[in-house]
Amino acid sequence: MGLMDKIGGNIMQGLMGNLSEVTPEKLTQDYGMYLMDGEVIHTGFVLVRDVVIFTDKRIIDLDKQGATGQKARVSSIYLDSIINVSAETAGFGLDDSELNIEFISSPYFKANGGVSISSRKFEFPKKYQIQGIYKWLQETAYTNHLNINK
């Protein structure tokens, strides 16, 4: 495959909203300044200029903005706040895979009626098998349910 095919494929994946997997070493090199002390990257994905990183403590979402991409919004979903995960695997044709994560976005998990829930959707390329990440996040959500409802 020639260089133009690779570039065209990456652009097309970007336009379709698909993330491309990047090694933890490369992610640490490029985005290590956003990690907390002792935090370890498990895996991560890039979509044109946006980045999603899965660590041992949280999911980091970097949304680069503006024409140059110098400005960025960085947000986190802490693993201990995840309460539900659903997955949609790729089908035939142009379908992609999706992970939908629901998490507690208020600072107190056990507030009396004041708990806020948010959700975020991540799309993955057809070739990436999301079952491993789904299983890990589902086990995390289950553990969180047990801890919250003690």
Side-chain angles (χ1 to χ4, degrees):
M1 176 184 304
L3 179 60
M4 292 307 290
D5 292 332
K6 289 181 186 174
I7 293 171
N10 288 340
I11 291 171
M12 185 57 121
Q13 263 194 342
L15 293 173
M16 292 172 55
N18 286 332
L19 300 164
S20 299
E21 190 169 15
V22 180
T23 66
E25 295 78 21
K26 176 70 172 149
L27 291 166
T28 301
Q29 177 184 352
D30 293 346
Y31 305 101
M33 72 285 284
Y34 295 107
L35 297 177
M36 294 184 280
D37 291 342
E39 189 171 17
V40 178
I41 294 174
H42 290 295
T43 191
F45 302 85
V46 174
L47 166 63
V48 184
R49 298 186 309 176
D50 297 339
V51 181
V52 177
I53 300 171
F54 294 86
T55 78
D56 60 336
K57 298 179 184 200
R58 61 192 168 136
I59 301 168
I60 305 169
D61 186 12
L62 289 103
D63 178 15
K64 294 188 180 179
Q65 302 170 351
T68 63
Q70 300 260 340
K71 180 179 177 181
R73 180 190 54 79
V74 181
S75 62
S76 297
I77 300 172
Y78 297 99
L79 297 181
D80 67 354
S81 70
I82 296 172
I83 57 168
N84 191 37
V85 181
S86 63
E88 186 175 308
T89 59
F92 184 74
L94 298 175
D95 289 347
D96 52 12
S97 298
E98 296 177 359
L99 278 177
N100 293 290
I101 301 170
E102 291 182 53
F103 57 98
I104 298 172
S105 54
S106 53
Y108 305 105
F109 292 179
K110 295 184 179 184
N112 295 329
V115 175
S116 299
I117 307 296
S118 297
S119 65
R120 185 135 340 126
K121 176 173 77 169
F122 298 101
E123 295 180 2
F124 295 84
K126 181 179 213 140
K127 66 183 177 186
Y128 186 76
Q129 299 296 315
I130 63 169
Q131 290 84 354
I133 290 178
Y134 169 78
K135 179 181 177 190
W136 172 61
L137 291 173
Q138 188 60 47
E139 289 170 350
T140 299
Y142 177 73
T143 299
N144 292 343
H145 273 277
L146 294 176
N147 290 333
I148 290 169
N149 294 306
K150 281 184 179 177

